[in-house]
Amino acid sequence: MADLSIRNLQKGFDGHAIIQGIDLDVRDREFVVFVGPSGCGKSTLLRLIAGLEEVTSGTISLDGKDITDLAPAKRDLAMVFQTYALYPHMTVRKNLSFALDLARVDKATVKAKVDNAARILELERLLERKPKQLSGGQRQRVAIGRAIVRNPKIFLFDEPLSNLDAALRVQTRLELARLHKELKATMIYVTHDQVEAMTLADKVVVLNGGRVEQVGSPLDLYNHPANLFVAGFLGTPKMGFLRGTVGAVDGSSCEVQLEAGAKLTLPRQACGQKAGASVTLGVRPEHFNIVPAGEGQLQVVADVSERLGSDTYCHVRTANGEQLTIRVRGDFGPAYGQPLELAFDTAHCHLFDAAGVAIDKRSAAEQAA
Amino acid sequence: MLTLKQSRRLQSVVVGTLSWAVALLIFFPIFWMILTSFKTEMDAIATPPQLFFAPTLENYLHINERSDYFSFAWNSVLISFSATVLSMLIAVPAAYSMAFHESRHTKRTLLWMLSTKMLPPVGVLMPIYLLCKSMGLLDSRIALIVIYTLINLPIVVWMVYTYFKDIPVDILEAARLDGATTFQEIGRVLLPIARGGLASTMLLSLILCWNEAFWSLNLTSSAAAPLTALVASYSSPEGLFWAKLSAVSTLACAPILIFGWISQKQLVRGLSFGAVK
Ligand SMILES: Nc1ncnc2c1ncn2[C@@H]1O[C@H](COP(=O)(O)OP(=O)(O)OP(=O)(O)O)[C@@H](O)[C@H]1O
Ligand SMILES: [Mg+2]
């Protein structure tokens, strides 16, 4: 069992509030990912859970037991650091067995556990080497192995892949996902890479400025961002934002007059805004189409295009200077400065009120379900 | 014009020659001291100075007859090693807390410690002499051990602190999460990683203690007198005997020079072993 619950957690350094009241639950066997921009307090939150930083106020409890002021050694958590933090003077075997040796586990058990972890992570042939003689990827695996042998209640990872090259990162990401399933482990994982967040997580926690912006499954966050910050943070390329005002509203649709010139009718049951209220329309790059002149709703001018082969990301500018990114087939590449016409996939447009909070497009009944 | 390769070679020749010249310049007094110790007193004061002469051991024999070299050497060894071990025992916990549990006062404490080295020792000669006298510690090894420990402590703490600062705190935190107590964290992780730096700190402390003359001359006479006192005893009363003085100086330097020479290899290996990444 490993149920972690955090209540109104706060942390300040020298009077600066860094973590500003966080409530969070991590269920047994869940893979939870903390994402957020640099400096938002992800590592600090993880270190508070680990016990490496002292809590300013609030509580952390594990399986109903208050661990807020418990020493890190007593929490039964294992952490994998971004820098790996291997013990440079010990062989890989010693690195793996250090925690068990400290706990005075008998030799035969230690050997069995170390050999098992080495087998899972394919480290068998490296056991007698020192960390210095390993590649970055191998060191990473030793760091993970060091956590595995302890069979902790929760695995904590602080950007474990950020020092690996791109190919290795993809491979290790898959291995971590596999490990999570095989070990039936509870994991908390910090990253600023949203691909890692989307692919690994059961539950994503989006942090910003020391607060939780939104918690949910990856697709839930992607499809129903709670506010402008989450909408803009998740998804590459970023969601495009267009300012506008609400026009006519009825029970099944909602008109939006964009400052960029177009007038859209969104098929949504709830709009929540009166006519004339200013709103922001959010559209993901895949929810635009480039259409022949006269068939679309918005005129734009092509900026540079990024051609990836499979897709092309066209950056475009509207008449009033707003920037959008559009994702189209890889064989399409407009010239710089070329006028284009866009059609919106209106069913997938997001709407945010003046304060940046999302206006749910589902009806009240649907939301409850 | 020189090609790149030629100019590289020229550069290395020039740099090599210069470093040899500087090294010889620094080594020359020691070389001359050793040379003089094998001369007769007449040869030693001859003008122009003699590079070639009939070597003799009479100075060394004379010293052996007149004073008990090994008693002085034993005092030097005992005092230097004890003071070094003692200052390491104090410096390691101090540096650990300053390097890894920094507080608002850490930087100031470090500077303040160093500032105590700015006071000339003679400024506190009187109080310390009187203290030793009233505690019955004149001419005792204990007094010198305590004093050497304390006067070297700022430098030792600073050195250990800088070596500790180079060690990523992650590694210690990993040990903490692995269940290590503070003692285990220091003893099984920190010290082994920093051992190269600790060894060079200890060597420096040994050398400083070995060569210290001010306090040993003022606070000891015979029973606790180290080699520096022996050297001094050959300089003053009966006028200057250059050859004998050179011989006794050579004898005083020899042990620490040999020790440094031997530990040099260990040190270099220890230092590169300490590399963390
Ligand atoms: N020991 C500390 N003393 C003072 N301020 C700190 C300390 N540790 C972190 N901070 C501050 O807390 C804020 C959050 O830091 P944190 O390391 O948690 O960010 P992060 O979300 O992990 O960022 P990144 O993605 O860059 O790793 C930063 O503004 C940082 O300057
Ligand atoms: Mg971080």
Side-chain angles (χ1 to χ4, degrees), chain A residues 47 73 79 83 87 89 99 150, chain B residues 170 173 175 177-178 188 192-193:
Chain A
R47 292 168 57 81
M79 183 151 165
T83 54
Y87 310 123
H89 58 298
R150 290 184 42 204
Chain B
D170 288 3
E173 289 177 341
L177 276 166
D178 267 349
R188 299 186 60 166
I193 296 176

Side-chain angles (χ1 to χ4, degrees), chain A residues 42-44 82 158-159 190:
Chain A
K42 305 179 296 286
S43 300
T44 306
Q82 180 176 0
D158 192 353
E159 308 207 18
V190 166

Side-chain angles (χ1 to χ4, degrees), chain A residues 35-38 191-192 194 206-207 228-236 238:
Chain A
V35 281
S38 190
T191 179
H192 59 242
Q194 46 169 305
V206 182
L207 294 170
L228 274 178
F229 177 81
V230 176
F233 187 76
L234 289 181
T236 15
K238 276 174 60 137

Side-chain angles (χ1 to χ4, degrees), chain B residues 1-57:
Chain B
M1 278 302 286
L2 294 172
T3 64
L4 187 61
K5 208 168 178 178
Q6 283 168 328
S7 71
R8 282 260 168 76
R9 190 171 300 164
L10 185 68
Q11 199 180 346
S12 77
V13 167
V14 171
V15 170
T17 316
L18 274 176
S19 20
W20 271 104
V22 172
L24 282 178
L25 202 67
I26 293 171
F27 182 66
F28 184 76
I30 298 169
F31 168 73
W32 199 252
M33 174 184 83
I34 296 170
L35 212 61
T36 309
S37 75
F38 291 105
K39 292 178 182 175
T40 60
E41 291 295 347
M42 289 313 291
D43 284 340
I45 53 170
T47 31
Q50 291 183 316
L51 197 53
F52 299 102
F53 55 91
T56 166
L57 282 176

Side-chain angles (χ1 to χ4, degrees), chain B residues 53-126:
Chain B
F53 55 91
T56 166
L57 282 176
E58 69 177 46
N59 299 314
Y60 289 96
L61 293 172
H62 174 88
I63 291 164
N64 197 28
E65 273 165 34
R66 198 184 110 176
S67 29
D68 184 0
Y69 170 77
F70 287 101
S71 138
F72 287 93
W74 178 237
N75 281 336
S76 273
V77 170
L78 213 61
I79 293 169
S80 308
F81 277 84
S82 311
T84 298
V85 168
L86 210 57
S87 47
M88 291 306 281
L89 285 180
I90 302 171
V92 165
Y96 168 79
S97 81
M98 289 195 279
F100 300 114
H101 299 278
E102 203 169 326
S103 81
R104 281 182 300 132
H105 305 293
T106 301
K107 284 265 138 54
R108 250 181 294 158
T109 312
L110 276 166
L111 282 178
W112 166 76
M113 278 182 354
L114 209 60
S115 74
T116 61
K117 293 294 289 178
M118 293 171 191
L119 184 71
V122 71
V124 288
L125 175 58
M126 229 18 172

Side-chain angles (χ1 to χ4, degrees), chain A residues 273-286:
Chain A
Q273 301 286 313
K274 300 208 163 49
S278 57
V279 289
T280 305
L281 183 80
V283 191
R284 297 231 180 253
E286 61 266 35

